[in-house]
Structure formats: C-alpha cells, structure tokens
C-alpha cells in the first residue's frame, strides 16, 4: 500500500491525555473479584443472594496489597459491586451490602479497607462498578436507576481518596425478556470527571480500551490510535457479553479484531482517538474464587509471557487475583505472582545500556540519544521533520550478554514507529539481525530468541508515520533460567 503522508500525519497528531499517560505508566496492576459469588461458588450472582452469605472469616486487604506489591503490581481495582448488586461498602442507597452481612457484624467496609491497604503499600486504587445490577428494583426503569448508579458512583469517588481507574463492565445477561436499562453513559462520565479528574474511565468509557478477550491474548501490533467508535463498542448492548461461560473466558482475539490501528485499518476513518489497550485476565479460569480451580492457577511461565506481550506490547496488564472464602489470596496464586514479581524486578534491574556509548547519525540537534537510558519524556531522541528512518547505536568496550531490549517512544508526541529492527555487530563490521518488530508505543519489550553476546547493539527504525522519537532504550542480560 502506498504511504499517504497526510494520513500518517493525521494519525500521529492524536496524543494521550495526562491521565492516560499516568495509566499506561501504571503498567501492571491487579483486579480483586470478591462478592457473594465467592461464597455461593458462582461467576454471575442473580441478585437474590442473602447478605448473610457474605462472611469472610479472616479478610485481610493488607495481604492482597502486599501480595500485589510483591508481584510487581502498581495498583488494585476492586469489584465494589458486581452484577449481583451486592455492595462491598455500606452504601446509604441500598440495604444489599456489607452493612447487613455477618462481616464485622455489619460494620465492615471492604472498599475502605482496600483503599487504605493500597495507600499503605504504595499502590494506586481503582473501582469496578457494574452497571448491570440484578438486585436493585430500579434497574430497568430508566432515570431512577441512573440516579441510583450516580449516587453509588458519588459515594465511591468521594469517600475513598484518589482513584486511578473507574472500570465499567459492559456485560449484561438480561436476555430479550429481561429488564432493559438505558444507561446514561455521558452522565456517568461527567460525574467521574468532576469527582476524580485524574481517573481513567475504562472499557465502557473513553480512556482505556478492553483488549477484546479475557484469555490474556495480545496483538503483535498494538496501536493506541484507533477509530473513536471503538470507545462505544462495549457500551452497545448488542455487542455486550450476554452470558458467562468458560468458552467466553478462554476465547482469543478474533482475526477481525486483530488489526485496529494500522494504516490499512485507519484508511477510511477520520474520527480517531487515543485509546490504549488493557489486557485483563484472571490468574484462574474463573473471575471469582472456586476451590475446584485450586490446581488450575496460571503458572509463572504463562504470567511471564502475558506480561512481556502486554506491558511489553503497548498495553497495560490487569491480572485478577480472587480472594477465597476466608478473604485471602490463595497461596498458589500468591506463589505464581511472587515469582513474576521477582522476574519483573530482577530482569530489568541493570540496564547495560547505561554503560554504553550512544551514537545516532540522524538525530536532530538537541535531540540526540544521550538521555535514552533515563526514563521519562523530558529528553528524547528524534530525527528532523520529514525523516522517517533512524538508527541508534549503543557500543560497549567489552562484549555484553543481551537477552531483553526495551524501547519506548515519547508518546506525548503520539505513536509513530511502524517498523524497526534490532541488530548487533556481526564481528565483521556489518549487522546481524536479531529481531524485527512493528509497533513500539508506550513500551516494547523484545525478548531475543537466545542470549546474544554483543559489543554493539543497534535499533534501526525502518518506517514511521512522522519523524520518529525514542524516549528510552534498555538492554538487559539473561535472567534466572534464561
Ligand atoms: C466480565 C464480567 O462478566 C466478569 O464477571 C468479570 O467481571 C470480567 C472482568 O468482566 O464482563
């Protein structure tokens, strides 16, 4: 396909908001699915559950936060209300909540406990509030339910400190004969903006895009600029998830959804937004804890692969850790996650590029490669206007063992890189190709097929939509069993 530079300039002119940048920098964070379902052994409660079933014996939100922090996560999002309508906080607007449960004899507030634990362990805190509510009698009556939902949102966004994510789920299993509620999305969004201007509205919202599956599947080329209509996709009833099933949870990205933002995909789209992807999956087959799944916890290798492909594939990674009936994250889940945390901290600790000498022939004056090992967007590499290719070389005096290469664009200026190669010195002054990739965006983690021993490592940007930028270059050795 011939490149249309005017179209490319349009795509690259779409930039993220500050709240979206902060969200992308959160990178890896946890989901806590916990409600009456934990005690009834279900995935979707029907709203008729008695508050009396909610009786965690030794709930400890600090254990959740500690496990998340040790696992390398930077935040937690709690299901404050799932589809069953049961509220984990003592909402003044319904009797269907912890206040009528045996938990702490009705004086508990799981939202407050989780928010406090997050603050203690340096994690961001987010709220999941299901629009579909199978308990509240006003559901399906229009404005009265929207008022109820706004009231709940207001409680959550005023009483529990700063919130980084407001997660609206599109699922609705009412079916054709069920109650039909027309959600007032714009009013919901205005409320979030007014009460928590720094929070991203996710999935059924304009800030963060659902990656399109729950299995942890990722796109090899993930673009953050996509057609605006996608931010309405999950809010449209016909497209929403209508029933819970293991098959739905295991389904991968369909081929028709694989390419959302390439030049070809955007060719006839004029209304575009910055809408980065979030990969959400559970550490277990279900979103809620089921003792029968204790032997089906995703192992370190699976988590590691999803981490590298999501955080390292221009998406964020939201991993669910469902507490058990005691109110604790099960040891098997904690063990897998802790191993991942060790990997994330260990593998990317020592950036060998900090000891390299950088050169780049195509740098625009004042935007050379010297700041590339410092995170952040204040200093970055770029070429001159109209130059779509670039080469950055990092050279060492002694050969280095390299297994991972990390690249970041300065996404403040949009997503630009279309194609790049990683090459090393072939020993005769030429280049040996180690890896060919497409998108970079917020972050690309390249895992080389095997550890390379190199004196020089180069990134060659082969094509970009407008002049390319690089904000970070990391080179790391093998880790553990690599
Ligand atoms: C889905 C829900 O139906 C699941 O129960 C879970 O909350 C998942 C994150 O989103 O749409």
């Amino acid at each position: 396909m011939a490149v249309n530079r005017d179209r490319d300039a349009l795509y690259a002119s779409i930039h993220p908001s500050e709240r979206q940048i902060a969200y992308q920098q959160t990178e890896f964070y946890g989901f806590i699915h916990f409600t009456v379902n934990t005690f009834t052994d279900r995935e979707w409660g029907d709203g008729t559950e008695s508050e009396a079933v909610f009786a965690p014996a030794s709930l400890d939100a600090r254990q959740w936060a500690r496990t998340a922090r040790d696992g390398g996560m930077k935040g937690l999002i709690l299901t404050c209300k799932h589809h069953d309508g049961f509220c984990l906080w003592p909402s003044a607007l319904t009797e269907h909540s912890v206040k009528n449960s045996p938990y702490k004899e009705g004086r508990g507030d799981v939202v407050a406990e989780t928010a406090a634990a997050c603050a203690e362990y340096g994690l961001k805190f987010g709220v999941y509030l299901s629009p579909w509510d199978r308990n509240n009698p006003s559901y399906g009556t229009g404005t009265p339910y929207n008022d109820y939902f706004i009231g709940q949102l207001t409680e959550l966004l005023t009483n529990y400190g700063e919130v980084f994510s407001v997660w609206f789920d599109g699922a609705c299993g009412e079916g054709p004969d069920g109650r039909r509620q027309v959600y007032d999305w714009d009013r919901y969004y205005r409320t979030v903006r007014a009460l928590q201007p720094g929070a991203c509205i996710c999935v059924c919202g304009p800030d963060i895009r659902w990656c399109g599956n729950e299995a942890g599947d990722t796109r090899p080329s993930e673009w953050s600029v996509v057609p605006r209509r996608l931010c309405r996709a999950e809010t449209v009833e016909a497209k929403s998830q209508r029933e819970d099933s293991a098959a739905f949870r295991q389904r991968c990205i369909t081929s028709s959804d694989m390419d959302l933002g390439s030049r070809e995909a955007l060719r006839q789209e004029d209304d575009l937004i910055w809408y980065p992807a979030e990969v959400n999956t559970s550490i277990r087959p279900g979103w809620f804890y089921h003792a029968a799944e204790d032997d089906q916890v995703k192992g370190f290798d699976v988590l590691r692969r999803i981490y590298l492909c999501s955080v390292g594939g221009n998406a964020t990674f939201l991993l669910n850790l469902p507490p058990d009936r005691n109110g604790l994250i099960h040891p098997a889940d904690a063990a897998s996650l802790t191993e991942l945390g060790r990997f994330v901290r260990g593998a990317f600790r020592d950036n060998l590029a900090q000891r390299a000498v950088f050169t780049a022939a195509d740098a625009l004056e004042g935007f050379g490669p010297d700041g590339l090992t410092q995170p952040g967007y204040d200093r970055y590499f770029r070429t001159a206007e109209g130059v779509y290719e670039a080469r950055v070389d990092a050279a060492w005096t002694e050969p280095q063992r390299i297994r991972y290469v990390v690249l970041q664009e300065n996404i403040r200026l949009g997503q630009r890189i279309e194609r790049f190669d990683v090459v090393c010195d072939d020993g005769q002054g030429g280049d040996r190709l180690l890896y060919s990739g497409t998108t970079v965006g917020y972050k690309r983690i390249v895992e080389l097929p095997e550890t390379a021993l190199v004196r020089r490592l180069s990134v060659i940007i082969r094509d970009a939509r407008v002049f390319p930028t690089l904000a970070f270059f990391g080179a790391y050795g093998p880790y553990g069993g690599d």
Side-chain angles (χ1 to χ4, degrees), residues 12 76 145 214 261 266 322 414 430 453 457:
L76 279 182
Y145 179 76
E214 297 185 343
L266 299 187
L453 191 64
L457 191 69

Side-chain angles (χ1 to χ4, degrees), residues 214-348:
E214 297 185 343
D217 194 21
T218 49
R219 295 182 179 82
S221 307
E222 189 65 81
W223 288 98
S224 294
V225 173
V226 294
R228 182 183 302 277
R229 59 187 163 73
L230 290 185
C231 79
R232 286 283 179 184
E234 309 310 323
T235 68
V236 176
E237 203 193 330
K239 289 200 71 181
S240 76
Q241 183 190 348
R242 292 187 225 184
E243 58 178 21
D244 170 65
S245 66
F248 182 87
R249 282 179 256 126
Q250 281 152 22
R251 196 193 74 194
C252 288
I253 299 172
T254 50
S255 56
S256 63
D257 274 353
M258 201 38 107
D259 175 13
L260 302 179
S262 72
R263 286 166 168 152
E264 177 60 26
L266 299 187
R267 200 156 52 98
Q268 308 205 338
E269 304 277 353
D270 288 326
D271 195 11
L272 305 171
I273 53 165
W274 187 272
Y275 199 33
E278 177 181 79
V279 173
N280 69 321
T281 191
S282 182
I283 198 162
R284 288 163 172 258
W287 290 101
F288 289 91
Y289 176 84
H290 309 289
E293 296 180 348
D294 280 353
D295 59 354
Q296 293 175 63
V297 175
K298 289 186 174 74
F300 163 68
D301 289 340
V302 174
L303 296 182
R304 175 184 175 282
R305 182 184 50 74
I306 301 175
Y307 179 92
L308 293 175
C309 293
S310 56
V311 175
N314 192 35
T316 56
F317 182 16
L318 171 55
L319 176 66
N320 182 55
L321 310 166
D324 63 14
R325 287 186 187 178
N326 287 318
L328 296 170
I329 293 168
H330 189 274
D333 308 38
S336 282
L337 181 64
T338 305
E339 208 176 337
L340 180 67
R342 234 177 268 135
F343 167 77
V344 169
R345 274 188 297 274
F348 304 109

